[in-house]
Amino acid sequence: MTINRRDLLGYGAAAIGAATLGLPKAAKAAGELTIAYNVNLPSWDPTTGPSAVNPTIQGLYQSVFDQIIGQKPDLSFTPGLLTEWGWNDDRTKVTMTVRDGVKWHDGSPFTAEDVVWSLTRAGDEKTGNPIQFVWKNVNNFKIDGNKITGDVVQFDPVYFKWMSFLTGYILPKAYYEKVGAEGFEKAPIGTGPYMVDKFERNAFLRLKANPHYWGTKPAFENVTIKFVTDAASRVAEIESGSSQVTLEIPYEEYDRLIAKEGLAGSIKNVSDIGMIFFNNKDAMLDKNVRQAAVMAVDKELLVKRLLRGYGQPIDTLETPEYAAFDPSIKVEHNPEKAKELLAASGYSTKKPAKFTIQTTKGFKPKDYEMVQAIVGMWRKVGIEAEIEVYEIAKHYELRAAHKLAPAAFYNWGNSIGDPTTSTGFAMFGPSPHSSWKTDDLDAKIGPLWGEKDEAKRIAGWKAVDKYIAEQAYVLSLIQYAQPIVHSKKVNVVQHVSGALLPALMTPAA
């Protein structure tokens, strides 16, 4: 393949650096696909550690591992490694049927024992599963052929839904126990559509199609995923032809690129939301400051000016696709009232309330620019916020230790659309994923976890969302529209979860 000077300049530092590690310069041959991805992969265990709850990484995990219960691109559930699942009448037992004929990447058979071992491990707090408080609710599993039963310790209405979401994966019992955690990191195996061929941390991942796959065989035999965390470099990747697919680029670049010959795009609202965590410390302990910080932000303007109209403003941690979405909950944009609230606490533009806001830069389209704009809106009413940039991995580390700044920008994914996985885990104090931790809110959320009456459960979550909005415990911003740009030689099916799945991609006719 000949590369001219113009192409070389378009590659970007990340792509050139990866090439020196043995990465193909471009995968244009039949059966080859190259994707410029927006995050690195810190760990190969999809069930433990901070990376397990990073929604953006799930597309990588789902390429190698199957989720316990499948999920179609429209987020509807479908049989996966389980073909049937459910509760008994009084919700004291679960029953599951394991798919026959599935093999691990090393050719060994997938069994019900793998399922029980993985679920038991996930529910053991010693293993570090960040969703352990879901998985611990069922134990005492028993196996009869390909049938599994388990005892319900505490009823959790979203137990099965989580099998299609974060940490909902089965790992190989015999192989993992043989090689250990360190060995699994070096040579991971799953039952998914692709197998790991080569992995260079912080550089690239090389996948090859799984010949034993139980589902539809992937159309591309080989897939190279470059970890290109800089948005400008991802643009260069797709524009130069070095990669055939990329995602999460600035919206103006999306519009420009899809107008170019040979390129196309897909953009739709996904289950990710942009939000700003408030931490219950320093200035955020003052309700007037919190409410002013929320009221000062013009979300419509952010979407129109920074996101070119893509995505939509939201006022709670629920989107229209979520089960507890309540359109009656509104948070007004009112800078003048924000000034009055701040004045009541002794603040003004001359004597502003001060705190730090943390944000990623380039992880999501216009994340840093959005925070810059918000800080500008705050400044006009009497809030002075200092911006601190960090990598997404640092956010997880700080959040788990309850050491985030008083304000911290984040994108929250909830592909199963249940309020427990948006409002619940983000706002319940005992959750390791929350930033706001106060007794009043915990007392309202606590009883909802095990509520068996579905209508009462959803109504309860709507009431919690209303209370959070009134108290300004979080700043909900937008539902994201995910931009994907690709070569016209590749067909891409966009998944509403936001996961970019090479197994759903096919060569164009």
Side-chain angles (χ1 to χ4, degrees):
M1 182 185 71
T2 301
I3 302 176
N4 60 33
R5 181 176 180 275
R6 182 172 178 271
D7 285 339
L8 183 61
L9 290 174
Y11 265 55
I16 295 171
T20 65
L21 294 171
L23 182 68
K25 293 178 181 177
K28 293 185 177 181
E32 298 272 341
L33 178 69
T34 301
I35 300 171
Y37 213 72
N38 64 325
V39 291
N40 291 306
L41 181 64
S43 168
W44 270 114
D45 187 337
T47 68
T48 62
S51 60
V53 291
N54 183 344
T56 311
I57 292 178
Q58 302 310 305
L60 304 178
Y61 286 150
Q62 289 173 32
S63 297
V64 176
F65 309 97
D66 283 310
Q67 294 199 281
I68 309 171
I69 294 174
Q71 198 173 31
K72 297 178 181 178
D74 65 358
L75 302 187
S76 60
F77 299 107
T78 186
L81 294 179
L82 297 184
T83 56
E84 296 177 310
W85 57 91
W87 315 88
N88 65 348
D89 290 341
D90 63 0
R91 303 293 198 265
T92 59
K93 287 187 179 293
V94 299
T95 59
M96 297 174 275
T97 302
V98 177
R99 183 179 295 276
D100 288 324
V102 177
K103 293 183 178 180
W104 293 102
H105 290 161
D106 62 359
S108 61
F110 163 81
T111 68
E113 191 175 1
D114 292 310
V115 177
V116 168
W117 177 81
S118 295
L119 289 175
T120 302
R121 177 175 176 264
D124 183 353
E125 61 182 12
K126 297 176 184 177
T127 61
N129 187 305
I131 313 297
Q132 182 264 344
F133 46 85
V134 170
W135 304 120
K136 71 177 182 180
N137 290 322
V138 179
N139 64 17
N140 194 28
F141 295 102
K142 291 182 172 59
I143 300 172
D144 183 7
N146 69 339
K147 305 289 185 180
I148 300 172
T149 59
D151 294 338
V152 175
V153 178
Q154 177 177 308
F155 175 70
D156 185 341
V158 294
Y159 179 75
F160 287 115
K161 289 183 179 181
W162 268 98
M163 292 184 177
S164 293
F165 197 35
L166 307 177
T167 78
Y169 300 91
I170 302 299
L171 299 187
K173 177 181 184 292
Y175 178 77
Y176 193 96
E177 290 181 337
K178 177 183 177 181
V179 302
E182 186 175 342
F184 193 80
E185 283 294 330
K186 293 179 180 178
I189 67 170
T191 59
Y194 283 101
M195 304 186 297
V196 176
D197 185 30
K198 189 174 183 180
F199 174 57
E200 293 286 350
R201 196 172 300 277
N202 300 319
F204 71 92
L205 166 64
R206 177 82 167 169
L207 300 172
K208 60 182 179 181
N210 174 12
H212 308 297
Y213 191 52
W214 59 269
T216 302
K217 180 178 171 58
F220 289 98
E221 184 67 26
N222 299 296
V223 177
T224 299
I225 297 173
K226 301 179 183 179
F227 303 131
V228 187
T229 58
D230 177 67
S233 295
R234 291 196 299 279
V235 170
E237 282 282 327
I238 196 73
E239 194 164 15
S240 69
S242 179
S243 293
Q244 287 79 58
V245 184
T246 196
L247 75 164
E248 304 293 11
I249 60 173
Y251 294 109
E252 65 270 18
E253 292 285 28
Y254 172 85
D255 287 340
R256 180 181 69 84
L257 289 171
I258 63 172
K260 293 177 69 72
E261 184 178 357
L263 294 179
S266 174
I267 190 165
K268 64 170 60 177
N269 287 353
V270 292
S271 60
D272 273 11
I273 65 174
M275 46 94 83
I276 293 177
F277 275 115
F278 288 158
N279 198 341
N280 53 302
K281 66 179 184 180
D282 303 337
M284 288 308 175
L285 292 172
D286 187 332
K287 181 180 178 181
N288 287 337
V289 173
R290 297 195 307 271
Q291 289 184 320
V294 171
M295 288 183 179
V297 178
D298 188 341
K299 303 171 189 177
E300 296 279 357
L301 186 64
L302 292 176
V303 170
K304 181 179 179 181
R305 294 283 179 85
L306 286 177
L307 308 185
R308 298 175 72 88
Y310 294 120
Q312 67 179 42
I314 56 174
D315 289 323
T316 69
L317 297 181
E318 317 286 342
T319 76
E321 293 83 3
Y322 294 4
F325 175 70
D326 186 348
S328 71
I329 301 175
K330 299 292 184 183
V331 177
E332 64 176 326
H333 168 234
N334 191 334
E336 292 307 312
K337 189 172 181 180
K339 290 179 182 178
E340 293 173 7
L341 289 166
L342 288 168
S345 290
Y347 299 115
S348 66
T349 53
K350 294 182 179 179
K351 184 188 174 184
K354 297 182 179 182
F355 55 82
T356 297
I357 180 169
Q358 294 163 320
T359 182
T360 51
K361 188 174 184 179
F363 176 61
K364 297 290 285 187
K366 297 296 183 180
D367 47 5
Y368 179 72
E369 290 83 356
M370 192 181 308
V371 169
Q372 281 186 310
I374 290 169
V375 168
M377 295 172 184
W378 284 345
R379 188 178 299 115
K380 292 179 180 178
V381 300
I383 295 174
E384 183 179 315
E386 180 181 355
I387 299 175
E388 176 188 322
V389 176
Y390 56 10
E391 293 293 324
I392 190 64
K394 187 66 175 178
H395 170 91
Y396 292 123
E397 177 187 327
L398 293 172
R399 194 173 75 195
H402 194 45
K403 292 183 179 179
L404 287 174
F409 176 85
Y410 181 63
N411 76 289
W412 190 276
N414 179 13
S415 67
I416 58 176
D418 196 89
T420 61
T421 56
S422 51
T423 301
F425 292 125
M427 303 304 299
F428 188 50
S431 165
H433 317 297
S434 71
S435 181
W436 190 266
K437 301 177 186 288
T438 54
D439 292 342
D440 62 329
L441 187 56
D442 292 347
K444 293 179 180 296
I445 292 177
L448 296 174
W449 293 112
E451 177 58 59
K452 294 182 180 180
D453 184 316
E454 185 66 4
K456 186 177 179 181
R457 187 176 77 92
I458 296 302
W461 281 113
K462 289 181 178 180
V464 166
D465 282 324
K466 184 177 181 181
Y467 180 75
I468 290 171
E470 290 170 348
Q471 298 297 317
Y473 283 159
V474 70
L475 174 46
S476 305
L477 290 171
I478 60 167
Q479 178 184 11
Y480 275 108
Q482 183 187 57
I484 299 173
V485 178
H486 57 90
S487 164
K488 286 185 176 179
K489 296 180 180 180
V490 179
N491 294 321
V492 175
V493 176
Q494 190 163 9
H495 203 288
V496 177
S497 71
L500 187 64
L501 301 174
L504 293 180
M505 301 177 192
T506 57

